[in-house]
Amino acid sequence: MWGWRSVSVATLCIALNGAWPALAAEPVGQAVVVKTQVTGQSGPIEVDTRVHRNERIKTSQSGLGQFVFRDGTKLAVGWGSSVVIDKYVFDDSQSVKKLTIRAAKGTFRWVSGNSNSSAYQILTPAGTIGVRGTAFDFYVGPDGTTAIVLLNGAARFCGPGGCRQLQQRCDCVVAKPNGDMSAARRVDPSILATLGNQRALPFLSGNQRLAGGIGMLGGCNMASVAPERKDRTRPPPAVAPAPQRQDPPQRQAEPQKERPNKPDKPHHDKPHHDRPHHDRPHHDKPHHDKPDRPDKHDGHGRHDDDGKPGNHGLDHRGHERHHDRDRDHDNDRNHDRGHNFNRGR
């Protein structure tokens, strides 16, 4: 009994070991850009993490993942998205025989690789996108409404209501799961209202930026759209007023410094008390300043209180009086001599 069980367990282990390498050996691509949060079948996906066939890739409400498949096909997965790598059949010529992805919801950008256009197929709830060697953005809403915007090459969308060809750059088709489908026309910002989501097609509006060549495909004039975020609205450029001509500033005159008052020269028409004592000339000092050495010109330049010449005139009159007295005295002596002479005779 134990021998039979041992054989059975050994056989099962061999079978599992043979199948496990086959499952583990099916990487179909790897992540080249990861922002915020991107998860796969085994947990968080980081840069250089390999992705495998049948693996579901999810992004958070702010997440972004960019992937490159073995044949050079590029797939960008925007915020709030979910996609499954459904089929992947690789051949030895660096191309694929079949590459099918199933987009459940969210926003995506696709750029074809080296394989034949017929090898690519993208499944959405509203229909199938057939690739014709091309690049395009597509969005899948919560109700399955699907929008495709052509960026390069050509594409074809087929659903219950028929097929639409996208042949011109920025051509857009919107389809619903019930078969309603719009005609192909040039995309414009009103498509966001049609889809009922201002966060749809963020790679065109610029709300999510892609790295590398996959992000250099243009925005089809959707770059000015600012969904949800009012702070992204750019105010209109302010028109600067024309500069007014201004006269050169006038040079203000410097205030003149007050010059010290110079002592006035002595004038004969001003009394002494009109001038400070220190401004008076030296010869105006009174006689008691020099009692021992009377000045011969004492009184010269002085004035009486009434403004008339002072001692100078008095001195001259005094000298005249002395001369008169001397003459009278000489006359008296001569008279006396004459009288005595006559009396003697």
Side-chain angles (χ1 to χ4, degrees), residues 96 99 110 112-121 129-134 154:
V96 294
L99 174 57
W110 172 279
S112 298
N114 301 323
S115 303
N116 294 327
S117 298
S118 59
Y120 302 117
Q121 192 176 44
I129 304 173
V131 179
R132 299 292 182 266
T134 185

Side-chain angles (χ1 to χ4, degrees), residues 29-34 45-51 66-68:
Q30 64 181 14
V32 292
V33 174
V34 174
I45 295 176
E46 298 179 353
V47 175
D48 295 334
T49 299
R50 292 183 178 183
V51 292
Q66 291 182 217
F67 302 88
V68 176

Side-chain angles (χ1 to χ4, degrees), residues 35 56 66-67 75 82 89 100 105 115 142 145 157 159 175 182 188 193 200 202 264 277 281 299 322 335 341:
K35 294 182 180 180
R56 181 180 295 274
Q66 291 182 217
F67 302 88
L75 176 67
S82 175
V89 180
T100 302
K105 64 175 183 176
S115 303
T145 300
F157 184 83
S182 69
D188 60 54
D264 297 331
H277 179 74
H322 285 299
H335 178 74
F341 178 76

Side-chain angles (χ1 to χ4, degrees), residues 2 27 75 181 214 237 240 289 317 345:
W2 284 104
L75 176 67
M181 187 182 305
I214 193 173
D289 292 340
R317 289 197 298 269
R345 295 181 63 180

Side-chain angles (χ1 to χ4, degrees), residues 236-242:
V239 179

Side-chain angles (χ1 to χ4, degrees), residues 243-260:
Q244 298 180 356
R245 183 178 179 181
Q246 297 182 356
D247 295 331
Q250 297 181 356
R251 185 176 181 181
Q252 297 181 356
E254 296 182 358
Q256 296 182 356
K257 297 181 179 180
E258 297 183 359
R259 297 180 179 178

Side-chain angles (χ1 to χ4, degrees), residues 18-97:
W20 179 255
L23 293 175
E26 293 184 334
V28 295
Q30 64 181 14
V32 292
V33 174
V34 174
K35 294 182 180 180
T36 308
Q37 185 176 2
V38 181
T39 58
Q41 198 71 28
S42 302
I45 295 176
E46 298 179 353
V47 175
D48 295 334
T49 299
R50 292 183 178 183
V51 292
H52 303 82
R53 184 173 64 89
N54 291 329
E55 185 173 9
R56 181 180 295 274
I57 299 172
K58 294 182 179 181
T59 59
S60 66
Q61 291 301 315
S62 59
L64 171 64
Q66 291 182 217
F67 302 88
V68 176
F69 295 98
R70 293 175 63 179
D71 71 329
T73 297
K74 299 178 179 64
L75 176 67
V77 183
W79 50 31
S81 301
S82 175
V83 62
V84 177
I85 304 171
D86 191 27
K87 294 179 181 180
Y88 189 94
V89 180
F90 188 76
D91 61 20
D92 296 334
S93 60
Q94 297 298 317
S95 62
V96 294
K97 294 179 180 181

